[in-house]
Amino acid sequence: MERHDHELKQREDQIIHVTNESSLVISFEHEIYFDYKGTEYGAYCTNEIEGRGICDIGIYLLNSARGIEQPIYDELYEQVKKYFEDDFNIDRYDLQW
């Protein structure tokens, strides 16, 4: 029995024993769907909480594989950016993990 206890102790000494866990979230990905002049669009961005804030905004046609043309993107960009910065209503309790 003593030999078994010794082998068990050796195995236990080679296994990690986690004493604490933590996570640091530094960014979120946000997405919205919206209508503009009778066309459905989607937009996404990265929100770096302790960094650049709202960045990397993408806008796309919701029901098409086609990309949007640059003049439409430019027309929508400021409104979409403002929405993400000021009007986005999802807080930490609504996040999907």
Side-chain angles (χ1 to χ4, degrees):
M1 185 70 171
E2 190 173 299
R3 180 178 172 180
H4 176 71
D5 290 343
H6 180 70
E7 289 173 355
L8 183 61
K9 173 73 172 133
Q10 282 183 320
R11 278 190 301 230
E12 286 180 353
D13 287 344
Q14 295 175 6
I15 298 172
I16 66 168
H17 298 279
V18 177
T19 58
N20 187 37
E21 292 181 339
S22 66
S23 296
L24 173 63
V25 177
I26 59 172
S27 71
F28 295 96
E29 300 297 317
H30 299 310
E31 185 173 33
I32 59 173
Y33 299 149
F34 61 95
D35 293 324
Y36 181 72
K37 295 183 180 179
T39 303
E40 294 180 320
Y41 294 91
Y44 58 87
C45 73
T46 299
N47 184 352
E48 294 181 355
I49 305 302
E50 298 290 329
R52 298 181 294 169
I54 298 296
C55 57
D56 302 329
I57 294 173
I59 303 170
Y60 57 93
L61 288 166
L62 195 55
N63 297 314
S64 174
R66 247 181 42 236
I68 66 171
E69 296 177 14
Q70 192 64 40
I72 299 289
Y73 181 89
D74 294 342
E75 194 174 326
L76 295 172
Y77 180 84
E78 287 302 321
Q79 289 185 65
V80 167
K81 182 177 183 200
K82 181 179 179 344
Y83 186 89
F84 280 131
E85 290 175 341
D86 299 336
D87 300 322
F88 198 73
N89 293 313
I90 295 178
D91 63 19
R92 65 183 179 165
Y93 301 108
D94 298 321
L95 295 174
Q96 295 178 13
W97 298 92

